[in-house]
Amino acid sequence: MGFSRPESGTLAMCSPEEAALLRLEEVFSATLARINSLVFQPLLEAGELRLSSEKGPEASDPWGRECLQLLQQLHSSSQQLWDVTEESLHSLRERLRRPEAVGLESLLLLQSADRVLQVHLEYIESYTCCVAVQAFQKAVKRRSEYWRGQRKALRQVLSGLSSEGSVGTALLQALRQPLAHHVQQYVLLLLSLGDTVGECHPTRELVIHAASLFGDLQSFMRQELDQATATQALWPTLSSRLRDVLCTPARRLLQDSQDVPVTVTPLRAERVLLFDDALVLLQGHNIHTFDLKLVWVEPGQDRCTFHLLTPEEEFSFCSKDPQGLVVWQWKVTQAVCQALRGKKDFPVLGAGLESSEPPTCRCGAYTFRAEGRFCQATYEGEWYWGRPHGKGTLKWPDGRNHVGDFCQGLEHGFGIRLVPQASEDKFDCYKCHWREGSMCGYGICEYSTSEVYKGYFQEGLRHGFGVLESAPQAPRPLRYTGHWERGQRSGYGVEEDSDRGERYIGMWQADQRHGPGVMVTQAGVCYQGTFQADKMVGPGILLSDDDSLYEGTFTRDLTLVGKGKVTFPNGFTLEGSFGSVSGRGLHTQGVLDTAALPPDPSSTCKRQLGQGVFPVESRWQGVYGAFRDFVRAGCPGDLREALLGFHVQSSRELRKSQEYLCCERTCPEDQAGRMEDLLEELLQHREPEALQQCLRKALSNSLHPLGKLLRTLMLTFQATYAGIGANKHLQGLAQEEVKQHAQELWAAYRGLLQVALQRKGQAPEEDEDAETRDLRVHSLVLPLMLPSFYSELFTLYLLLHEREDSLYSQGITHLSLFPDARLLEFLDVQNHQPRDLVVHSFPRVFLCRLSATSSMLASLLHWLYFP
């Protein structure tokens, strides 16, 4: 809808205030139409003509284009103001034409007072933007003669226009004075209308509300005009460089240290400018700008100072004049509140329904400039007293980014960091728990080399128990399961080299095999000895698949060399010197003894490695230790993931979305509550029968602390004894570990129970004696955990007893060939029993297999319980 002259309507009998409102709206609508043709159209035409006619560097003059955009925005706001005035006129005419049918509440000024107010606010905002940057003065320069000729026409719109003032001043008055007068009359007429309708009238509240809004609008207009005028006066006092940096149309000056002196320490600023969006300190040619959203105000202990805290600076405001300092502190505080709300206070700064104290916790974005780990990084997220605190995102220019929890300015809690590598579309992804800026606790790291590490960190380095696995398609696929110290493999660990078909079980130091160790090959050959710098040195033993035993020295590549002794399965021994010649194989010089009696086959095949070399209680301390730390800390829910680990999918898709991964984890907010429930359940199930059911449920739940511990122990067991490690000479190590794991699981349960009792204020249970503990372990824990290790245990048992089982099976097969009567006689079945007791319904082959399997199971359980 364009501007046009309004038509006068016929007035019906109604209140004088409503008739006066109608005349007021008609006059204002006509004035707006006149201003449009007299001011806006020439201004916009002049601006567009100027920009289109300029050539060269001036054609892209940002100030010229900006002024034109501001004038266009003001024109659009004026158009909206005219539209809403016409709507108000229409509602008034309808009311005055049919007062009996149309109620007072139908007036737009009452029915939609907030919408009318918003249109006025937008116009004021557009107008003051033009004032702040002198847009009118710049726009009329090229056509000053034209505007001087229009002075007489402007006098018809304005009252009290001087004949000597500048054209820019005249335009300022033309666009402000009618609106100010209009709003003033709104307030007067609405207040009068409120008195007219009486206190009991149903529309009185609407009238009072509208009068209050437009009364506040008057105060808002005065403040906005004062701030825009002060801002306009500021720019000429600054150098062109400072003006280019600081001057924006929407920025308003709230306070200047040249008006109210103040001293800033330790920066020693020459001038302090408080804008509605930033605090600016001028120090020579240097400009220090601070976003008010990230400024915290802390009152001083005396009346002569207060402190400001920003992400990288802390400084104090001082003044000899206490009253002046109070003004600065109040204005800075209110400016911060207004900036955080994202809208101007209405009706004036510091007024409104919202709190006048800024929150200590807030959200914002900031780019760090000071040297350090965060240099040039942009943080976006939650803050507390000038420091990143809560959830947030860090992004560096080189492509690194971190999403997670922060505390007092440092990464603390769960976080995901992506580190791009030199090759395109490849990066390292760290999904870890952090403490005071470095990785600490459990984490999962996927590297650009396709390696994956799952385990514990300390001070940013792998430390404690962890598993490092390379991709199957890697040139040399490796998997290490064991302990780490300051980023290097150290302590007890198991490494599998799939390419060479070898598995090393033993001690490490400084990322190399060092100390006692056992090497198992896919061919069934086992080595045991001392390793140094990744090679076996000194004496050791070798066990082959046919139970041949070599005792002597080896080369670094596990070749027999020097003095040694070989004991063959048939009892023969060869003792002497061994060596090898390139291309000619192994040669020896010594004594072959064939006089010895053949050894017992059951003893030669059951030779065991590693026993006594690796104390069972110290092998997996990294696993047990993390659980003990969790219990000693009182089982806090917020440390549950960091100490016990978390489980997420390990796929490439997760590496592309940090937010998706955060959602996939078990909700950390629920950890504390769930822990309370788990501990309460332990207290409620302490009787033997109930306890067994409780333990069964806990061990089968991957989210329960005991279930997590069991699954980690299963992982270490499989890494050691499955696949290449399925060797009969390792059954002793496996047997020890299963029993030790059972004892540790029982100790873990006891630790959780003590925490549960402590939280309830109950006395802790007395320590168990060794006999009671062993009884509980064998009767409660071992039967529940055994299925988790059954596959590897059963394989080791079959390999260990392969000869006996073969002989046993042959015997059963031989018995199945007996006639029924003789078989019953062999089985010592009483003669008086019926002949038809013969097991016709069970085929003999099935009977053989059942007997063999039952024997194996019984022997396996006996082997575990009674070594």
Side-chain angles (χ1 to χ4, degrees):
M1 178 188 296
F3 287 108
S4 62
R5 289 278 184 175
E7 297 180 359
S8 298
T10 304
L11 299 184
M13 292 299 296
C14 206
S15 68
E17 289 79 9
E18 293 175 72
L21 280 173
L22 176 64
R23 288 191 295 272
L24 179 66
E25 297 288 47
E26 287 178 338
V27 171
F28 188 57
S29 178
T31 301
L32 290 175
R34 183 78 180 275
I35 290 175
N36 176 62
S37 60
L38 186 63
V39 177
F40 282 117
Q41 290 181 3
L43 279 176
L44 296 175
E45 289 172 2
E48 292 171 354
L49 180 63
R50 176 187 175 187
L51 291 177
S52 62
S53 63
E54 288 178 344
K55 296 181 180 180
E58 292 185 358
S60 59
D61 175 22
W63 280 109
R65 293 187 179 277
E66 186 175 52
C67 286
L68 179 59
Q69 291 174 357
L70 290 174
L71 292 172
Q72 290 172 339
Q73 179 61 41
L74 180 58
H75 178 243
S76 175
S77 299
S78 179
Q79 175 72 51
Q80 294 178 22
L81 189 58
W82 185 83
D83 289 341
V84 80
T85 304
E86 284 293 299
E87 286 187 58
S88 179
L89 261 176
H90 178 74
S91 66
L92 283 164
R93 287 170 181 155
E94 289 297 313
R95 163 70 177 159
L96 295 174
R97 285 189 181 122
R98 298 181 297 145
E100 301 83 1
V102 180
L104 185 62
E105 67 278 0
S106 66
L107 296 184
L108 184 69
L109 284 176
L110 305 183
Q111 184 184 45
S112 303
D114 293 311
R115 183 166 73 88
V116 177
L117 174 71
Q118 185 60 38
V119 173
H120 283 74
L121 292 175
E122 291 175 3
Y123 179 85
I124 294 170
E125 177 67 21
S126 300
Y127 173 78
T128 52
C129 284
C130 293
V131 172
V133 297
Q134 296 184 313
F136 300 117
Q137 290 85 337
K138 296 172 183 177
V140 301
K141 281 184 178 180
R142 289 298 181 92
R143 300 187 65 184
S144 57
E145 293 295 330
Y146 168 82
W147 290 109
R148 277 194 289 271
Q150 296 297 320
R151 187 181 297 276
K152 182 178 180 180
L154 289 174
R155 282 202 196 97
Q156 298 176 2
V157 178
L158 304 173
S159 61
L161 177 64
S162 171
S163 60
E164 296 181 358
S166 67
V167 175
T169 303
L171 291 179
L172 285 174
Q173 287 182 299
L175 296 173
R176 176 187 45 123
Q177 193 180 87
L179 178 66
H181 175 73
H182 185 63
V183 173
Q184 183 184 29
Q185 293 302 309
Y186 263 172
V187 176
L188 294 175
L189 291 174
L190 288 171
L191 288 175
S192 179
L193 181 61
D195 294 337
T196 301
V197 297
E199 294 186 2
C200 298
H201 197 281
T203 59
R204 178 177 172 78
E205 289 188 6
L206 292 177
V207 176
I208 298 302
H209 174 67
S212 175
L213 284 181
F214 287 102
D216 289 342
L217 180 61
Q218 282 185 294
S219 301
F220 182 79
M221 285 180 62
R222 285 193 292 268
Q223 175 185 267
E224 286 297 293
L225 289 172
D226 291 343
Q227 290 178 359
T229 303
T231 306
Q232 181 191 67
L234 168 69
W235 304 131
T237 68
L238 302 177
S239 66
S240 59
R241 188 180 73 87
L242 294 178
R243 193 163 54 244
D244 291 341
V245 172
L246 298 176
C247 183
T248 62
R251 177 168 281 172
R252 301 289 179 270
L253 179 66
L254 303 182
Q255 193 64 58
D256 187 345
S257 62
Q258 289 189 350
D259 299 328
V260 180
V262 71
T263 302
V264 179
T265 56
L267 295 180
R268 298 293 181 184
E270 300 169 0
R271 190 174 184 182
V272 183
L273 302 174
L274 175 63
F275 294 99
D276 58 354
D277 65 332
L279 178 68
V280 178
L281 306 182
L282 303 181
Q283 193 178 29
H285 296 291
N286 297 325
I287 306 175
H288 302 277
T289 304
F290 303 95
D291 183 358
L292 289 181
K293 293 179 181 178
L294 295 177
V295 171
W296 282 259
V297 183
E298 183 179 8
Q301 296 181 353
D302 53 35
R303 298 180 58 191
C304 298
T305 183
F306 68 91
H307 309 287
L308 294 185
L309 187 66
T310 70
E312 294 185 278
E313 300 281 355
E314 294 184 32
F315 43 88
S316 301
F317 275 45
C318 308
S319 177
K320 295 180 180 179
D321 177 17
Q323 190 62 35
L325 192 70
V326 169
V327 171
W328 269 102
Q329 181 175 341
W330 184 86
K331 284 200 174 182
V332 171
T333 301
Q334 300 312 314
V336 170
C337 291
Q338 180 176 264
L340 289 172
R341 286 192 283 268
K343 61 180 181 180
K344 292 183 179 293
D345 290 349
F346 185 84
V348 293
L349 182 67
L353 300 177
E354 294 86 353
S355 172
S356 59
E357 290 296 327
T360 55
C361 299
R362 38 185 106 153
C363 294
Y366 180 81
T367 300
F368 292 89
R369 295 182 293 271
E371 292 297 326
R373 291 192 306 115
F374 291 175
C375 184
Q376 301 302 316
T378 298
Y379 173 81
E380 183 174 1
E382 298 173 342
W383 297 77
Y384 178 77
W385 280 110
R387 300 290 181 265
H389 190 92
K391 298 189 179 300
T393 302
L394 263 176
K395 292 185 179 180
W396 283 265
D398 61 6
R400 289 176 295 155
N401 66 80
H402 180 98
V403 175
D405 299 323
F406 292 78
C407 181
Q408 294 299 321
L410 297 173
E411 305 94 320
H412 193 92
F414 183 77
I416 306 170
R417 177 164 294 182
L418 300 181
V419 180
Q421 300 303 306
S423 54
E424 189 176 355
D425 291 334
K426 287 193 174 182
F427 49 84
D428 295 342
C429 177
Y430 301 87
K431 299 166 279 191
C432 308
H433 280 267
W434 299 68
R435 180 183 299 169
E436 298 179 356
S438 62
M439 292 183 287
C440 188
Y442 186 80
I444 299 177
C445 301
E446 298 176 351
Y447 303 96
S448 59
T449 58
S450 297
E451 290 182 323
V452 178
Y453 173 80
K454 298 181 181 180
Y456 293 89
F457 289 85
Q458 183 174 304
E459 297 181 357
L461 300 174
R462 300 169 190 158
H463 193 92
F465 173 76
V467 179
L468 178 66
E469 185 174 11
S470 60
Q473 65 272 19
R476 188 184 174 190
L478 296 172
R479 176 187 174 96
Y480 174 81
T481 304
H483 297 273
W484 300 76
E485 186 173 338
R486 300 196 61 78
Q488 296 180 323
R489 291 170 288 186
S490 185
Y492 183 78
V494 179
E495 183 186 63
E496 180 171 331
D497 187 337
S498 302
D499 189 48
R500 299 182 61 178
E502 295 177 349
R503 180 175 294 172
Y504 172 80
I505 305 168
M507 305 305 294
W508 296 74
Q509 181 177 305
D511 231 18
Q512 294 181 324
R513 287 171 275 191
H514 191 92
V518 174
M519 180 76 76
V520 183
T521 68
Q522 203 162 18
V525 179
C526 298
Y527 303 85
Q528 178 178 307
T530 301
F531 287 75
Q532 185 175 351
D534 258 348
K535 303 293 183 180
M536 181 181 279
V537 296
I541 63 174
L542 178 151
L543 276 171
S544 65
D545 191 39
D546 65 353
D547 298 324
S548 296
L549 171 66
Y550 169 78
E551 300 169 276
T553 57
F554 298 85
T555 63
R556 286 181 172 264
D557 57 358
L558 301 179
T559 301
L560 279 60
V561 63
K563 292 183 179 180
K565 176 182 177 181
V566 177
T567 302
F568 297 98
N570 59 4
F572 292 1
T573 61
L574 175 60
E575 187 172 1
S577 297
F578 295 83
S580 61
V581 179
S582 177
R584 296 176 59 186
L586 179 70
H587 67 88
T588 182
Q589 182 178 359
V591 178
L592 177 65
D593 184 2
T594 61
L597 295 174
D600 182 4
S602 62
S603 63
T604 58
C605 73
K606 293 182 180 179
R607 293 190 180 106
Q608 295 298 299
L609 299 177
Q611 287 185 299
V613 179
F614 316 118
V616 64
E617 62 275 2
S618 62
R619 288 179 203 164
W620 301 110
Q621 281 303 311
V623 180
Y624 306 143
F627 194 95
R628 293 187 191 120
D629 292 341
F630 177 65
V631 172
R632 276 196 294 266
C635 303
D638 57 340
L639 292 182
R640 185 171 169 183
E641 277 192 350
L643 294 176
L644 302 184
F646 54 87
H647 299 283
V648 296
Q649 301 178 21
S650 179
S651 68
R652 290 287 179 179
E653 292 302 317
L654 290 184
R655 301 178 66 183
K656 298 177 182 178
S657 172
Q658 295 165 315
E659 292 78 8
Y660 178 64
L661 177 59
C662 288
C663 296
E664 281 294 295
R665 292 166 50 239
T666 303
C667 185
E669 289 77 6
D670 296 337
Q671 296 287 1
R674 292 184 180 179
M675 199 65 232
E676 289 291 340
D677 296 340
L678 296 178
L679 294 176
E680 181 64 28
E681 189 174 6
L682 294 181
L683 287 177
Q684 301 298 326
H685 300 81
R686 296 165 66 182
E687 297 301 322
E689 186 174 347
L691 174 57
Q692 189 171 38
Q693 295 298 325
C694 180
L695 289 176
R696 176 179 287 108
K697 179 181 176 181
L699 294 174
S700 62
N701 184 359
S702 61
L703 298 179
H704 195 285
L706 294 177
K708 285 188 176 185
L709 178 58
L710 176 60
R711 277 155 183 76
T712 305
L713 296 175
M714 289 168 56
L715 183 149
T716 63
F717 199 78
Q718 293 167 359
T720 310
Y721 305 109
I724 298 174
N727 190 291
K728 60 186 177 183
H729 301 298
L730 300 180
Q731 68 84 17
L733 286 178
Q735 181 182 357
E736 290 177 342
E737 281 190 22
V738 171
K739 293 180 180 179
Q740 182 66 25
H741 292 343
Q743 292 179 14
E744 292 292 344
L745 283 169
W746 177 251
Y749 159 74
R750 294 274 300 173
L752 292 177
L753 180 60
Q754 300 290 24
V755 172
L757 291 170
Q758 183 180 6
R759 289 193 180 186
K760 292 293 184 180
Q762 301 180 21
E765 286 194 347
E766 296 181 359
D767 293 337
E768 297 176 315
D769 57 61
E771 183 178 354
T772 303
R773 182 200 63 198
D774 292 342
L775 178 62
R776 293 294 186 91
V777 169
H778 285 82
S779 61
L780 289 175
V781 182
L782 199 54
L784 295 176
M785 61 168 284
L786 185 59
S788 301
F789 303 93
Y790 179 77
S791 177
E792 292 76 25
L793 283 175
F794 194 66
T795 301
L796 290 174
Y797 179 85
L798 289 178
L799 293 172
L800 182 66
H801 298 275
E802 186 176 11
R803 179 178 177 83
E804 292 96 323
D805 289 337
S806 176
L807 294 174
Y808 182 80
S809 298
Q810 291 176 16
I812 294 295
T813 304
H814 179 69
L815 287 176
S816 67
L817 300 177
F818 283 12
D820 293 342
R822 187 176 176 186
L823 179 60
L824 291 173
E825 181 181 352
F826 179 82
L827 295 175
D828 199 22
V829 176
Q830 297 296 326
N831 291 331
H832 64 269
Q833 292 180 343
R835 296 277 299 177
D836 57 4
L837 191 62
V838 179
V839 197
H840 295 293
S841 58
F842 296 95
R844 293 178 180 178
V845 175
F846 179 78
L847 179 63
C848 297
R849 292 178 179 175
L850 180 61
S851 300
T853 303
S854 300
S855 173
M856 291 179 185
L857 287 173
S859 300
L860 176 58
L861 291 173
H862 186 275
W863 170 56
L864 282 169
Y865 282 86
F866 308 103

